[in-house]
Amino acid sequence: MLPSQPLLHTAVFALTVLQALASNTFIAAVYEHAVILPKAAIKPVSPDDALALMNSNMDILEGAIKEAAQQGAHIIVTPEDGIYGWRFTRETIYPYLEDIPDPAVNWIPCIDPTRFAPAPVQERLSCMARNNSIYVVANTGDKKPCNSSDPSCPKDGRYQYNTDVVYDPEGKLVARYHKYNLFKGETQFNYPKEPEAITFETPFGKFGIFTCFDILFHEPAVVLVSELQVDTVLFPTAWMNVLPFLTAVEFHSAWAIGMGVNLLSANTHNINFAMTGSGLFTPEGPVAYHYDSETDEGRLLVAELSAQPRLSPNYPPAINWSLYATSIKKFPEEDTFLGAVRKDIFTFSELRHKAGNYTVCQRDLCCHLIYQMSNKSKDEVYVLGAFNGLHGSFIKYYWQICTLLKCKSTDPETCGHPVETAQTKFETFSLSGTFGTNYVFPEVLYSGVQLAPGEFEVLSDGRLKSKHGTSKPLITATLFGRLYEKDLPHPLRMSPSRN
């Protein structure tokens, strides 16, 4: 006699849990998805047309989820905007939204789809998780009605949120997160009134979740790690790469190292918008990553990670980011000049020799560099740079940056312009700074926008050092610091809005 389908599913789920419990590791997956975008529209499409587009994207996501499960993955993260894209106004996104309940309702949409209002997207995501016995992380849109009794209620009588959802291997909704830090242009969505620090427990550690632009701010990103002590962060994103410091793989890997957690980063893939770069990042560096600015194809990444990285024998020691830099005398400051990285004014000093020691200061931040190049090309110029101030034209947040950086040409005015390729390798480099924060993210980026796993280390005194020389030409080595306490108040959160 064959077991019934529910009993069979329960047995499979129990086996998955036991396998995870028996190990200090788990298998994670992220999928970089080439999203099928809606046509630009002035008026909302019909609910049927909206669902047809979302199903087209979910068909692709379901294939990736099945493949990840077949490779033994316990959890998979899919990208921000991965179900419907991003060409929307507040009105035109409405047919794509569903009312997503609080996970406290204890709901498996796959087996009880009519319990609440119609929710075909939630039902399908739940079934993808249940049918493949895998945690599924997706990004979609939530709508919540409101009325005039709420002074912040928008004029159209509803809140609309950029929302992450997580379904467990039984298909149950276990997490819902409303994006707190909306990127410019996300006018189709509302800001939540308060930041949500969303966590959930699994057999393979404690998880937290946030979305894209959130990673650059204190709430909820730092709160999840420093206060709530999550082991792994789930990170759906639609990240547009910005050289030299904010390409997806570069900064997300650095954030995982700086914060001491796993980061499962799933980006959308659209080379016309410079969107690519996903990875499985750990406190010790990237385990797997993908960057492809040439093709239009998605990519699945699967790898084994430590379930509780803080307990790993290889877990990096605590770092005093300014210890070394404040303990030494300044090196000579030679021929400094100002240059713009986008709109941020850096203080630069050109590295005129094959080897040397340099210091560059801006306000109370001094950056120290000791280096030796393998070859000094006449066609390439490198600088040591410092930036200590507010970044951003609308939302203003405080950066402290020390960087060893390749200029776009031999013209000093191009220092800070985007560069993707280089020819110069370094035998050694050691970069440090007198940072006023504990939140510093170490970046090393090679020619072709490639990472350098295993080729650099951060010492407990705050030095970013190469281990054995660079195996590829260097674009930048950077210490990217964030002084969250100096951020200016958010211009759209200073008073209730009725947008």
Side-chain angles (χ1 to χ4, degrees), residues 335-354:
D335 301 326
T336 61
F337 61 96
L338 299 180
V341 181
R342 296 175 71 83
K343 295 182 180 180
D344 299 324
I345 304 302
F346 277 63
T347 303
F348 287 129
S349 182
E350 182 181 342
L351 310 185
R352 297 184 179 277
H353 309 289
K354 186 177 178 180

Side-chain angles (χ1 to χ4, degrees), residues 154-473:
K155 293 177 181 178
D156 54 15
R158 61 181 184 265
Y159 290 105
Q160 300 181 172
Y161 298 116
N162 179 327
T163 307
D164 297 330
V165 289
V166 184
Y167 298 91
D168 74 7
E170 289 190 304
K172 184 169 74 173
L173 177 67
V174 293
R176 180 197 67 188
Y177 168 70
H178 296 138
K179 185 179 180 181
Y180 187 59
N181 297 286
L182 297 176
F183 193 59
K184 60 184 179 182
E186 285 189 272
T187 56
Q188 69 269 40
F189 293 120
N190 295 101
Y191 288 89
K193 294 178 182 178
E194 299 293 335
E196 302 170 350
I198 302 299
T199 68
F200 61 97
E201 298 283 351
T202 76
F204 38 91
K206 184 177 183 178
F207 283 69
I209 188 166
F210 54 76
T211 313
C212 202
F213 201 37
D214 284 327
I215 201 170
L216 285 163
F217 298 92
H218 187 270
E219 294 179 305
V222 175
V223 171
L224 285 174
V225 178
S226 298
E227 298 180 22
L228 299 180
Q229 295 285 296
V230 298
D231 301 301
T232 298
V233 170
L234 308 170
F235 185 59
T237 184
W239 192 278
M240 291 179 285
N241 290 300
V242 180
L243 285 159
F245 311 125
L246 288 174
T247 64
V249 294
E250 172 189 25
F251 185 74
H252 303 161
S253 179
W255 194 89
I257 294 170
M259 295 303 296
V261 292
N262 298 324
L263 181 73
L264 311 187
S265 172
N267 201 359
T268 54
H269 187 87
N270 189 308
I271 58 176
N272 293 326
F273 287 87
M275 290 176 170
T276 181
S278 303
L280 300 158
F281 303 117
T282 78
E284 297 148 44
V287 175
Y289 75 97
H290 173 67
Y291 177 92
D292 169 22
S293 61
E294 301 295 328
T295 76
D296 295 322
E297 299 174 0
R299 175 67 69 89
L300 177 69
L301 300 175
V302 181
E304 187 174 15
L305 305 180
S306 172
Q308 294 178 297
R310 293 182 184 87
L311 303 180
S312 167
N314 298 322
Y315 191 69
I319 298 167
N320 182 333
W321 286 103
S322 63
L323 181 60
Y324 176 80
T326 55
S327 70
I328 65 170
K329 291 183 179 180
K330 293 181 184 179
F331 302 130
E333 285 193 73
E334 298 183 8
D335 301 326
T336 61
F337 61 96
L338 299 180
V341 181
R342 296 175 71 83
K343 295 182 180 180
D344 299 324
I345 304 302
F346 277 63
T347 303
F348 287 129
S349 182
E350 182 181 342
L351 310 185
R352 297 184 179 277
H353 309 289
K354 186 177 178 180
N357 305 337
Y358 283 78
T359 293
V360 168
C361 299
Q362 188 175 104
R363 300 187 182 92
D364 59 350
L365 174 67
C366 286
C367 304
H368 306 306
L369 174 68
I370 304 169
Y371 74 95
Q372 182 169 347
M373 298 176 183
S374 302
N375 59 295
K376 178 74 169 72
S377 171
K378 293 181 180 179
D379 299 329
E380 294 193 320
V381 170
Y382 284 79
V383 291
L384 172 64
F387 176 74
N388 186 14
L390 287 166
H391 166 84
S393 56
F394 181 63
I395 302 169
K396 295 183 181 294
Y397 47 113
Y398 206 99
W399 292 4
Q400 284 189 330
I401 291 179
C402 291
T403 183
L404 162 58
L405 182 67
K406 179 184 180 286
C407 302
K408 188 170 185 178
S409 74
T410 55
D411 181 352
E413 290 192 4
T414 68
C415 296
H417 293 194
V419 177
E420 290 195 8
T421 59
Q423 297 177 353
T424 301
K425 296 181 181 180
F426 283 72
E427 290 184 17
T428 61
F429 65 79
S430 173
L431 181 66
S432 60
T434 57
F435 290 96
T437 178
N438 292 325
Y439 298 106
V440 180
F441 310 112
E443 304 178 338
V444 177
L445 195 65
Y446 283 166
S447 183
V449 193
Q450 297 298 306
L451 301 182
E455 296 195 17
F456 67 90
E457 59 187 338
V458 179
L459 304 185
S460 59
D461 62 9
R463 282 178 287 172
L464 171 60
K465 292 187 66 175
S466 58
K467 285 186 177 180
H468 310 293
T470 64
S471 63
K472 297 177 182 177

Side-chain angles (χ1 to χ4, degrees), residues 54-92:
M54 292 190 287
N55 275 324
S56 296
N57 278 301
M58 287 191 289
D59 288 345
I60 300 170
L61 297 179
E62 184 167 16
I65 289 166
K66 286 181 177 179
E67 184 178 344
Q70 289 168 359
Q71 294 187 40
H74 298 103
I75 188 166
I76 183 170
V77 183
T78 61
E80 180 184 26
D81 299 330
I83 291 177
Y84 45 59
W86 53 82
R87 292 175 175 167
F88 297 109
T89 65
R90 181 172 181 83
E91 292 74 28
T92 59

Side-chain angles (χ1 to χ4, degrees), residues 144-160:
K144 291 287 180 279
C146 58
N147 57 45
S148 58
S149 65
D150 176 357
S152 299
C153 182
K155 293 177 181 178
D156 54 15
R158 61 181 184 265
Y159 290 105
Q160 300 181 172

